[in-house]
Amino acid sequence: MGRPVPAVTRALDVLELFHHGDGTLFAPEVIRKFQLPRTTVHELLTTLAARSCPVPVADQPGRHCPGGRTYRLGSRYAEQLDLAAEDRQVAREVAGTCGETVQVAILDDTDTDTDTDTDTDTDTDIVCVAEADTDEDDLRTVLASVRERGVAVERRESDPDVSCVAAPVRDRTGSVVAALSIIRTHDPLDRGARGGTGEPRCRRCRCALRPARTPRGAAVTTTRLDVAVHERAELGEGPTWDPVTGRLIWVDIVSARVHTYDPVSGRRTVMATEQHVGAAKPRAGGGLVVNLRDGIGLYDPDGAFHWLVHDPEPGRRGNDAAVAPDGALWAGTMRYDGAESGGSLARVAADGAVTPVLPVVACGNGIGWSPDGRLMYFIDTPTRRIDVFDFDGRHAVNRRPFATVEQGAGFPDGLTVDARGAVWVALWDGAAVRRYTADGTLDRIVELPVQRPTACAFGGRDLRDLYITSARTGLAAPHPLSGSLLVLPDAGHGMPGSAFAG
């Protein structure tokens, strides 16, 4: 298969926006969503308009509505659509997204199902709100009862571990032509579910990890975890709440993608970067500062990119980063080969001035500050420690251990500090997030379905929801939610972050 053409892909992405909002395109919205330069968006819309895909809206500069060619293509597709021939691909795509069994029931008595739980030798019991051989009148009756909600749910008394959610499929006239159902045969937030994580292994030496006992005094929590964004990120990292836009920013490092998520509208954006991106943080004047492979880069609000610090070193890349209360960026680096002395930690001022802080680290990760700004926390993952420094606003001194993660419990990765001064730490290969009180006492463990959580941050309304990024890289049999953005609602109370001053 040939490689996608970026310009064509971007043009199709722009056309997809007709599905949202009021059904029109507005140039400034396209610029914000895709972080593209103004001239690029103008060229895209001009080219598409020349082919009568979108057409300008009279008396509304910069706004476009669907053109005649768009309607003709849609009409031709609808005329030729063979639902029975398409249903298997649709079921497969939905099953790949949710990790559950999917069935499409068509009103002409044709049906198909796709089961993604390949780790079992037994057939999955298909549970449908309406069975596939139900006649049209019965199916319409069932679907009508849930039309107001948009979906239907059934739990079979004889099999309480199986539940089903279904929704009608309509044609372009609004008529019901099929029903799509998703059948859950296990709790997707169950760490022992089929298709799970497999045997935990250390990312340094690849040896199997020994199970750890729950430390005395720590409360273990497994409930109330939700999926904010179902994604297949290879190495999700760096969640950061942007209070100006009301969005969570996070990255997929090795896929070179910056993601945003609006928990109110559910809207998501994805921006590609030219290099592996370890972290992305909001800037005070709009746009993003990014910790890339070859240094620190800046994206302006219009999507234009330029380097703030360009310092390429073969075999090294940017990793985690955080913005200090004074608006400076503290950025970590690491070697691609994981060499223990190949990384560093540095302070980057708004003007690009770089001050080395720790010239030798293995894998610089979680960085955060206490509520009063007098302490700074830092993780060098292979050490298994969360370290703490005294902090005077610019300098971090007197490094000492704050807490240590015991053998078999995973490796500390990203962290965040809440309004009470407690430190929350994601445990790579530990399938958990831990909370340490301000004095270093472990008092809470949040067990997760994913083996490799990478970082956490508070966001949402009043900064009470804890968002958790995860990774699937290096796992032979990743859990269906590995790579997703998870959220623990009402977990605590986070602190407002700082935007980069540059």
Side-chain angles (χ1 to χ4, degrees):
M1 180 181 294
R3 297 178 59 186
V5 179
V8 176
T9 301
R10 186 61 71 197
L12 293 174
D13 289 342
V14 170
L15 291 177
E16 284 286 333
L17 293 181
F18 279 127
H19 293 296
H20 306 285
D22 61 359
T24 65
L25 291 178
F26 190 42
E29 294 174 355
V30 177
I31 292 171
R32 285 194 299 271
K33 177 175 178 62
F34 297 111
Q35 298 287 303
L36 291 173
R38 185 178 291 104
T39 55
T40 300
V41 171
H42 176 75
E43 291 171 357
L44 275 171
L45 292 176
T46 300
T47 301
L48 291 169
R51 303 289 294 176
S52 297
C53 290
V55 294
V57 178
D59 301 324
Q60 296 187 43
R63 191 172 292 279
H64 293 70
C65 64
R69 182 180 293 268
T70 304
Y71 288 114
R72 288 195 298 272
L73 290 174
S75 178
R76 178 61 59 86
Y77 175 77
E79 291 172 358
Q80 298 180 351
L81 176 63
D82 182 353
L83 190 61
E86 295 284 342
D87 63 352
R88 182 166 297 277
Q89 178 61 28
V90 171
R92 186 177 295 111
E93 291 176 357
V94 175
T97 299
C98 66
E100 302 287 354
T101 299
V102 172
Q103 183 178 64
V104 179
I106 300 175
L107 295 183
D108 63 0
D109 296 329
T110 303
D111 72 279
T112 184
D113 62 88
T114 298
D115 187 348
T116 61
D117 295 324
T118 57
D119 293 342
T120 178
D121 294 327
T122 60
D123 293 332
T124 301
D125 183 18
I126 300 298
V127 182
C128 253
V129 172
E131 299 294 340
D133 58 356
T134 301
D135 64 27
E136 181 175 347
D137 291 337
D138 288 344
L139 179 58
R140 289 181 186 279
T141 299
V142 173
L143 293 177
S145 68
V146 295
R147 185 165 295 157
E148 292 299 320
R149 292 182 297 171
V151 297
V153 178
E154 174 183 313
R155 292 188 180 275
R156 179 172 289 181
E157 292 182 1
S158 61
D159 193 350
D161 293 327
V162 177
S163 61
C164 170
V165 59
V169 178
R170 303 178 185 275
D171 64 13
R172 63 193 179 99
T173 69
S175 299
V176 176
V177 294
L180 184 147
S181 60
I182 301 174
I183 299 93
R184 173 179 292 180
T185 56
H186 61 272
D187 185 349
L189 298 181
D190 178 6
R191 294 176 60 192
R194 289 172 289 166
T197 61
E199 184 181 46
R201 291 186 176 273
C202 168
R203 68 170 166 182
R204 295 176 61 206
C205 62
R206 311 306 304 155
C207 63
L209 297 177
R210 296 193 300 272
R213 296 181 178 178
T214 301
R216 182 175 299 175
V220 178
T221 302
T222 59
T223 59
R224 302 183 60 220
L225 186 70
D226 295 331
V227 181
V229 177
H230 199 296
E231 185 57 75
R232 295 172 63 85
E234 285 297 313
L235 187 51
E237 262 283 9
T240 303
W241 181 252
D242 182 357
V244 175
T245 62
R247 299 183 302 178
L248 190 87
I249 303 169
W250 57 290
V251 302
D252 184 353
I253 295 178
V254 297
S255 297
R257 296 288 188 272
V258 177
H259 297 254
T260 70
Y261 168 65
D262 182 340
V264 175
S265 67
R267 184 179 181 185
R268 300 170 52 195
T269 68
V270 182
M271 180 185 74
T273 58
E274 294 298 323
Q275 299 182 354
H276 290 168
V277 53
K281 308 296 176 183
R283 297 169 63 191
L288 298 171
V289 58
V290 287
N291 193 13
L292 297 172
R293 183 193 65 200
D294 293 344
I296 307 301
L298 299 176
Y299 282 97
D300 294 334
D302 64 0
F305 173 83
H306 53 96
W307 288 103
L308 178 65
V309 178
H310 190 228
D311 182 28
E313 180 178 311
R316 185 191 69 179
R317 68 167 174 84
N319 204 45
D320 205 354
V323 179
D326 68 345
L329 184 74
W330 289 63
T333 64
M334 64 172 288
R335 298 281 302 179
Y336 278 101
D337 61 9
E340 293 193 7
S341 60
S344 64
L345 177 67
R347 177 185 184 272
V348 182
D351 61 1
V354 178
T355 303
V357 179
L358 297 175
V360 178
V361 299
C363 182
N365 262 309
I367 308 166
W369 288 266
S370 60
D372 61 8
R374 298 174 60 183
L375 299 174
M376 188 187 89
Y377 300 93
F378 173 70
I379 291 173
D380 188 1
T381 293
T383 67
R384 294 184 179 275
R385 294 196 318 268
I386 302 101
D387 288 341
V388 61
F389 297 74
D390 294 323
F391 189 72
D392 65 3
R394 285 180 59 92
H395 306 95
V397 298
N398 189 24
R399 180 181 184 179
R400 57 201 182 274
F402 170 76
T404 300
V405 177
E406 68 276 11
Q407 172 68 33
F411 293 84
D413 200 331
L415 66 77
T416 192
V417 184
D418 68 22
R420 294 184 175 181
V423 180
W424 299 71
V425 182
L427 298 184
W428 175 283
D429 275 338
V433 167
R434 289 185 170 187
R435 183 179 69 184
Y436 295 87
T437 61
D439 64 0
T441 300
L442 174 61
D443 76 331
R444 185 176 181 185
I445 300 174
V446 181
E447 293 188 332
L448 304 173
V450 294
Q451 180 178 331
R452 292 182 169 172
T454 55
C456 52
F458 283 94
R461 190 173 185 176
D462 300 326
L463 298 175
R464 300 195 64 87
D465 300 333
L466 187 71
Y467 288 90
I468 305 164
T469 50
S470 63
R472 60 191 298 111
T473 183
L475 294 175
H479 189 279
L481 293 179
S482 292
S484 294
L485 178 67
L486 308 178
V487 60
L488 187 67
D490 203 25
H493 193 185
M495 293 191 299
S498 301
F500 180 60

